[in-house]
Amino acid sequence: MRPARQALAGLALVMLAGCQSLQSALICPSPIASIPLERGEGHVYVQTLIAGRPARLVLDTGAEVSLLTEGATQRLGLIAAKLPPHRIGGIGGHRTAATLIPAPVEAGGSRLGPWPFLETDLGHGRPWLPADGILGADFLAPYDYALDLSRNRLELSPPAPTCFPASAPGTVTLLELRPRTTASDPPDPLPTVPTTIGSTAMTALIDTGSPDNVLFPGGIEKLRVPQAEIAAHESEPIFGVGPGSTRVAIAALDRVTIGALHFSDVPVAVMRRPLLRAGEPDLLFGLALLEGLDVQVSHAAGKVRFRAAGGQDSSAFLDRGLGP
């Protein structure tokens, strides 16, 4: 009987392994959309179909809401819902926006369902980027998404919190800087993470809508950047975010740590005016740092994972002495 028992035990182990493999497949589903990204003018673009018509959108993880220009709304044949106008605050100042009736969205050959874009004058009466609007963090937050700028690819997957264990290398906790007024309020869709500059703890927004890394007033204060040093540099307008927004280039940041990755000589600009939103981060990491990184975000798990895409040399600022 012993051989029979051993055979049954072996069969049980095989069945258990098969169940575990099936469970893993269910826990970590395949992407439902693999979307190619385009680069130009210092920004990242997504080609979409909205209501069956082509629309080019800026991929902006630093935008709380997804927006369409007034011209794009007319061209796409969208109409506004009978709702009070929204008041939006951002780097470029306050503006109002009308809520559009949800329109079907397709990208990368996949149908991603209807979405209620907002309509506003993105250029504040001035020429804006060669795009029809912004695909913001609110659109991405319901998914687990992977952004690989080394391959210019965005992948969207169904949320699977167990695929983001806290012990995985390079994994950090998502922070919610925007206060909720009620328990039913949705979580902050912006991907904000903890980081350190030298030995100083900071909060950083992952912002694909910004070509630059930008230090905000809170970060200036924490790092004790002398105002005289800021004033000594000539300011210039920040392209694409509205009038009155200026930056001042300063020396690069050293010993920047995000998750398990370490960076040095990271260029940064200073924003002289605060963002017009509650819960402002200390700085944002734009495309200048995100180039060559693979960033995976899961709001369902409350985690972000950072990896050097294609090896340690894929990012110009990775510290080879400290990197993984």
Side-chain angles (χ1 to χ4, degrees):
M1 295 296 292
R2 182 171 297 174
R5 289 181 180 177
Q6 289 177 341
L8 288 173
L11 178 61
L13 289 174
V14 170
M15 293 177 64
L16 178 60
C19 290
Q20 289 176 339
S21 298
L22 177 60
Q23 184 182 25
S24 298
L26 293 175
I27 290 174
C28 298
S30 299
I32 61 175
S34 181
I35 304 169
L37 303 175
E38 298 178 357
R39 308 295 291 273
E41 300 84 31
H43 291 273
V44 179
Y45 297 94
V46 180
Q47 289 289 354
T48 67
L49 292 177
I50 300 177
R53 295 188 173 109
R56 190 183 196 222
L57 305 179
V58 177
L59 180 64
D60 189 353
T61 58
E64 291 184 87
V65 293
S66 296
L67 303 166
L68 291 175
T69 65
E70 295 169 342
T73 298
Q74 296 176 7
R75 182 177 61 80
L76 297 171
L78 305 182
I79 59 176
K82 295 181 178 179
L83 294 171
H86 282 256
R87 186 167 171 80
I88 305 172
I91 296 176
H94 282 116
R95 56 192 152 184
T96 58
T99 302
L100 301 174
I101 291 177
V105 179
E106 296 182 34
S110 300
R111 295 182 178 180
L112 302 175
W115 193 258
F117 287 88
L118 300 182
E119 177 198 58
T120 191
D121 177 15
L122 286 168
H124 297 266
R126 302 180 181 185
W128 192 61
L129 295 170
D132 297 304
I134 290 173
L135 195 67
D138 61 331
F139 186 92
L140 300 174
Y143 303 96
D144 287 354
Y145 60 95
L147 178 66
D148 187 347
L149 292 177
S150 69
R151 297 188 301 120
N152 288 323
R153 180 77 43 181
L154 171 68
E155 293 186 342
L156 306 179
S157 302
T162 51
C163 293
F164 283 78
S167 59
T171 301
V172 298
T173 300
L174 269 172
L175 304 176
E176 286 194 36
L177 301 186
R178 184 183 63 184
R180 301 194 202 186
T181 55
T182 66
S184 61
D185 285 349
D188 190 346
L190 298 179
T192 307
V193 297
T195 185
T196 57
I197 312 295
S199 59
T200 304
M202 311 273 277
T203 57
L205 173 64
I206 305 304
D207 189 354
T208 60
S210 173
D212 304 302
N213 308 309
V214 180
L215 195 62
F216 294 127
I220 295 172
E221 182 177 351
K222 287 184 178 180
L223 294 179
R224 299 179 180 178
V225 179
Q227 290 297 320
E229 180 179 350
I230 298 174
H233 291 78
E234 183 178 354
S235 63
E236 58 184 20
I238 299 182
F239 180 67
V241 298
S245 301
T246 59
R247 66 182 177 190
V248 180
I250 64 170
L253 298 176
D254 197 16
R255 294 190 298 147
V256 177
T257 302
I258 317 173
L261 299 180
H262 306 271
F263 304 83
S264 59
D265 298 324
V266 176
V268 68
V270 171
M271 180 69 71
R272 282 184 162 175
R273 57 189 292 181
L275 287 170
L276 300 177
R277 69 181 294 270
E280 175 182 311
D282 296 317
L283 74 160
L284 68 79
F285 291 129
L287 298 178
L289 183 73
L290 299 176
E291 297 278 7
L293 295 184
D294 180 4
V295 183
Q296 298 176 309
V297 181
S298 174
H299 285 271
K303 303 292 180 184
V304 181
R305 184 180 301 154
F306 295 91
R307 293 184 294 189
Q312 190 167 271
D313 294 336
S314 59
S315 177
F317 310 110
L318 271 174
D319 193 316
R320 298 174 185 174
L322 296 172

